[in-house]
Amino acid sequence: MGRSHRHAAAALIAVAAIALAGCSGGNSANNSNSSSGGGTLVVDTAFSLETGDPGRNYVPTGNLVLHAVYDTLLTFQGSDSSTPKPDLATMKQNSDATEFTFTIQDGRKFSDGTPVTADDVVFSLDRVAGITDSKANFLMAGITVTKVDDKTVKLSTKTPSLQLPAIVTNPSLAILNSKVVEKNGGKTDTSDTAKSWLDANSAGSGPYKLQSLDLTQQVVLVKNDKYDGSDKPAYDKIVVRNISRSSTQLTNLKGGDSNVAVDLSGDQVKNLGSGFTVNSAPSAETLFLLINQDKNVGGVTANPKFAEAVRYALDYDKLLELAGKGSVQATGVIPPMFPGANKTGVKQDLDRAKAALAASGYKGEQIKLQFPNDNPVGGVEFTPVAERVQEQLKAAGINATLAPAPFATEVQPYVKAQEAFSLWYWGPDYADSSSFLPFGPGQKVGLRAGWPADADPGIANLVTKAQNATSVDERNTAFGDYAKAMQESGPFVPLIVPGINLASSPKVAGLQYNVTWTLDLRTLHPAK
């Protein structure tokens, strides 16, 4: 499933943990001297956190924390999600995009002072591939890691893999101090037992070190004095607290009990007042309608003309009103911050919708619209969106009956392709346009809509072209063609890319949103 579905699953576990602002004891912004440098930075966010072990992490709060503690071979700088830059290593690739050679930069060392070597890279990546209880080991699928010399490693694939540079930026593929981790149970196979040690200690080379981790309360990071990368640690301590309610996050930020709030809504940031910094941007998540193409599941929905009718029946501007600051219309299955995304989205055309509906064979029967009703995405509640979709479809002659259910109930029929008509969401597995190829015919999400590869050979061929491209220009063109074709036909109607609203107090500068680690703790520093 996409990242957003893993976030929802983690939220079901974390919802029982009510973390109140007063539980932090001395870990409060009121106890810091961050305005004059150093001191303590306090960040409030609703936890999706499972471990401090990078190789077993694959949830948003884990990415946020571990990106500050561990370096990866490459990284994204600031809010950019299109061009991986050197982190621990520089990279060269062959013309076929099947061999990627990484050279560790001079002087890089772990927090205990030992140098980062090729052995550490090989161990770290092979460990993710080998521990079967890792949610992230699919990232290493088809990738072979080979040591060239003490400072050089080669990653090889059998087919072109221009997405590999983006994949290795993921905090799950962080580089660990292999000797330390091996002493504490680290292996590259199923016998690995290092998780418990990594939940209480860190073995990274990032600007901060893990001091303590409580999955339901808070994570405490401290400055790594031996850090020699570009983002020097600006704080002595960072406290990331689990504050599940955005209203409490807002109260804490305005009252000075925290420095940064991660999960505020568009309406909440409007009322922050002067002095506060707000970073509002489209997230990488997309809300979309699924229209099943299997007659045995959907009946009339399987006629492509029915999907066309739905696509042009909707008033996307009116839907966007429900999403708040930072949100934009989804212009296609690829969100706007990724290469290949469509520049503009579909516009409502009721005449075209009614003509397509007449051609579909639809006779006015009730169509059940299923959706999860307990897991907002980017502050967007699904029920109001479904109600507005229902109202707009009715104006075009389509009668939809709303069928909400808890995420835990609804996710299985969605995954098993048993829903005729549903409202869902998708987020990238890593920051690259290829994370949205699963919508294609015969791909993972396409199959959930009963859409096999032979249902649309043309789009299936565009998926293959995007996967096998060996140059950036060729690849971007292929993704553009794919996004355009998917918006013109197919069983998905993208609706909204919800916004994300980060906010910081006047004491803090450097607020940056990133689609993988959400808030970049590395770039935060005391305001001058």
Side-chain angles (χ1 to χ4, degrees):
M1 287 185 280
R3 180 186 67 189
S4 49
H5 300 103
R6 285 187 295 276
H7 190 159
L12 291 173
I13 298 170
V15 72
I18 303 176
L20 300 176
C23 73
S24 61
N27 291 328
S28 162
N30 288 319
N31 298 314
S32 76
N33 63 339
S34 58
S35 62
S36 59
T40 299
L41 177 79
V42 179
V43 177
D44 285 351
T45 186
F47 271 20
S48 55
L49 181 65
E50 297 175 346
T51 180
D53 180 349
R56 288 181 170 87
N57 166 71
Y58 211 64
V59 290
T61 307
N63 286 342
L64 184 156
V65 168
L66 295 174
H67 175 65
V69 175
Y70 291 89
D71 290 319
T72 44
L73 291 173
L74 303 178
T75 191
F76 288 112
Q77 292 181 350
S79 59
D80 177 56
S81 57
S82 61
T83 310
K85 300 291 178 61
D87 191 4
L88 276 178
T90 57
M91 186 198 78
K92 292 182 179 180
Q93 69 181 59
N94 67 351
S95 59
D96 293 332
T98 57
E99 291 185 359
F100 302 80
T101 302
F102 295 88
T103 302
I104 299 169
Q105 302 202 69
D106 291 339
R108 300 309 303 272
K109 53 184 177 289
F110 292 108
S111 57
D112 67 355
T114 60
V116 180
T117 69
D119 290 328
D120 298 306
V121 176
V122 174
F123 169 82
S124 301
L125 300 184
D126 282 351
R127 178 173 179 266
V128 176
I131 49 179
T132 55
D133 63 335
S134 168
K135 295 179 180 178
N137 58 10
F138 80 96
L139 293 173
M140 290 300 298
I143 300 175
T144 301
V145 187
T146 307
K147 176 181 176 180
V148 177
D149 57 41
D150 286 345
K151 295 190 66 174
T152 311
V153 172
K154 183 170 68 176
L155 273 60
S156 306
T157 59
K158 291 184 178 179
T159 57
S161 184
L162 280 176
Q163 68 268 27
L164 187 145
I167 291 174
V168 300
T169 67
N170 194 292
S172 298
L173 300 187
I175 306 307
L176 283 61
N177 188 328
S178 59
K179 291 180 179 178
V180 171
V181 175
E182 285 176 315
K183 286 180 181 178
N184 291 279
K187 303 287 185 182
T188 57
D189 56 30
T190 55
S191 65
D192 178 88
T193 59
K195 176 181 178 296
S196 59
W197 186 85
L198 287 166
D199 282 345
N201 303 273
S202 53
S205 57
Y208 293 93
K209 300 185 294 184
L210 179 67
Q211 183 180 80
S212 64
L213 179 145
D214 183 319
L215 297 180
T216 64
Q217 299 291 325
Q218 65 181 25
V219 179
V220 180
L221 309 179
V222 294
K223 180 169 63 174
N224 173 12
D225 291 322
K226 293 186 172 63
Y227 181 69
D228 56 2
S230 58
D231 300 314
K232 300 299 183 184
Y235 294 96
D236 297 323
K237 180 188 291 186
I238 296 179
V239 181
V240 182
R241 305 187 305 192
N242 183 17
I243 306 296
S244 57
R245 294 183 181 277
S246 62
S247 58
T248 306
Q249 291 188 28
L250 180 64
T251 299
N252 290 348
L253 183 64
K254 294 179 74 172
D257 189 63
S258 69
N259 303 111
V260 181
V262 175
D263 304 294
L264 300 185
S265 70
D267 288 337
Q268 287 170 326
V269 297
K270 285 180 183 177
N271 302 315
L272 267 177
S274 61
F276 292 90
T277 299
V278 175
N279 188 324
S280 297
S283 69
E285 315 283 352
T286 300
L287 273 64
F288 65 90
L289 293 171
L290 176 152
I291 304 166
N292 204 297
Q293 302 299 287
D294 184 343
K295 289 182 180 179
N296 295 322
V297 175
V300 70
T301 71
N303 189 308
K305 284 293 182 179
F306 184 84
E308 181 181 343
V310 171
R311 183 173 288 110
Y312 288 97
L314 300 177
D315 185 334
Y316 296 91
D317 291 336
K318 291 291 186 183
L319 293 174
L320 190 58
E321 290 176 353
L322 301 170
K325 187 168 182 169
S327 303
V328 295
Q329 178 186 345
T331 60
V333 295
I334 301 177
M337 70 286 298
F338 291 107
N342 297 320
K343 288 184 170 55
T344 59
V346 169
K347 298 299 180 185
Q348 185 183 40
D349 186 337
L350 283 175
D351 290 339
R352 180 170 177 177
K354 291 175 180 178
L357 190 62
S360 74
Y362 176 72
K363 303 299 183 184
E365 58 266 40
Q366 292 289 329
I367 305 292
K368 184 167 66 173
L369 175 58
Q370 298 175 247
F371 59 93
N373 64 349
D374 61 348
N375 193 249
V377 176
V380 179
E381 298 278 355
F382 275 46
T383 298
V385 174
E387 290 172 346
R388 192 158 292 186
V389 166
Q390 179 190 41
E391 175 187 341
Q392 294 177 0
L393 291 180
K394 188 170 182 61
I398 300 172
N399 297 313
T401 302
L402 302 189
F407 175 90
T409 301
E410 200 63 45
V411 68
Q412 287 306 314
Y414 162 62
V415 170
K416 293 179 180 179
Q418 295 169 348
E419 296 181 338
F421 189 36
S422 56
L423 172 63
W424 275 98
Y425 58 104
W426 181 263
D429 285 319
Y430 44 87
D432 186 75
S433 302
S434 60
S435 274
F436 305 96
L437 292 177
F439 282 94
Q443 305 299 312
K444 179 163 57 177
V445 189
L447 292 174
R448 291 174 185 173
W451 200 35
D454 58 10
D456 197 320
I459 295 181
N461 184 53
L462 292 177
V463 171
T464 301
K465 281 187 176 181
Q467 290 172 329
N468 292 335
T470 58
S471 75
V472 172
D473 288 345
E474 175 191 358
R475 187 173 192 257
N476 289 346
T477 298
F479 275 112
D481 292 343
Y482 164 75
K484 182 179 179 182
M486 289 289 292
Q487 193 69 328
E488 291 175 348
S489 62
F492 301 105
V493 180
L495 304 176
I496 298 167
V497 178
I500 186 160
N501 297 283
L502 307 176
S504 63
S505 77
K507 294 182 178 182
V508 176
L511 196 67
Q512 295 275 5
Y513 166 69
N514 182 276
V515 300
T516 304
W517 39 85
T518 308
L519 170 68
D520 196 337
L521 296 177
R522 293 172 176 241
T523 63
L524 295 174
H525 60 272
K528 296 181 180 179

